[in-house]
Amino acid sequence: MFSAAGTEKPLGIYRAFPVFWDGNPYLDKYDLVLDERPGRFRVPSLRNVALTAPYFHNGSVSDLEEAIRVMAVSQLGRTLSDDPLADIRIVAASVEGTIPGRNTDMFTNRAVSRQEVSDIAEFLRSLTAATLPD
Ligand code: HEM
């Protein structure tokens, strides 16, 4: 179902949101915090997600790319960069001077580029059914 809600164990069907708070501009922008702590939500299926805006529990985001940026920052703790090569540079810099096979830098705080946001959006658009029930 393209949703963690289908995974009964070990976490159950609810997920904390938002997870990453420090320096996260979306918390205020979209009024994402309910009660001074993360809410717990049943993640909706991403099938047909391109057709089901607005997104999130309060319907505060209407654009799919913006929902992806909110996820990248709020759930994955990533930064965003307008530089399409940001990722490649970060990986290259971390590969340099690290022990082969022990490179953990490339998995931490990677920037998500505009290209990646649009690639993910295209993937999510591919989850739209060719025919929909009436
Ligand atoms: C690149 C990775 C991800 C993408 C593209 C993504 C995409 C999305 C989208 C489009 C929605 C809105 C669905 C809707 O309202 O119809 C959503 C909601 C949600 N996602 Fe993600 N997500 C990602 C990663 C994660 C991760 C890692 C977590 C958990 C740790 C997570 C937890 C949630 C939760 C709890 C919601 C519902 C929040 C609410 O209703 O306010 N997501 N996600």
Side-chain angles (χ1 to χ4, degrees):
M1 288 306 290
F2 292 95
S3 161
T7 320
E8 194 69 47
K9 291 177 179 172
L11 294 174
I13 61 173
Y14 298 100
R15 291 291 177 277
F17 171 89
V19 171
F20 290 89
W21 291 39
D22 286 355
N24 184 343
Y26 298 123
L27 306 187
D28 284 345
K29 188 172 183 185
Y30 296 121
D31 201 15
L32 296 179
V33 178
L34 299 174
D35 188 22
E36 313 269 317
R37 61 199 162 95
R40 292 204 164 253
F41 301 98
R42 185 169 181 177
V43 186
S45 169
L46 295 178
R47 283 189 190 277
N48 294 318
V49 68
L51 307 177
T52 58
Y55 305 114
F56 303 128
H57 59 278
N58 57 2
S60 57
V61 175
S62 53
D63 179 71
L64 187 56
E65 275 82 353
E66 182 72 346
I68 292 164
R69 287 188 285 269
V70 170
M71 281 287 116
V73 172
S74 306
Q75 301 303 95
L76 298 173
R78 302 300 176 91
T79 56
L80 297 168
S81 171
D82 281 343
D83 179 353
L85 297 177
D87 233 14
I88 295 166
R89 288 208 197 95
I90 288 166
V91 171
S94 63
V95 166
E96 217 173 273
T98 50
I99 304 161
R102 298 293 300 276
N103 178 16
T104 50
D105 287 6
M106 63 188 285
F107 300 112
T108 58
N109 199 29
R110 281 199 322 158
V112 173
S113 68
R114 274 203 266 201
Q115 182 63 52
E116 286 174 311
V117 170
S118 71
D119 288 349
I120 293 167
E122 279 307 293
F123 168 71
L124 292 178
R125 290 192 178 100
S126 80
L127 302 181
T128 300
T131 54
L132 294 168
D134 294 328

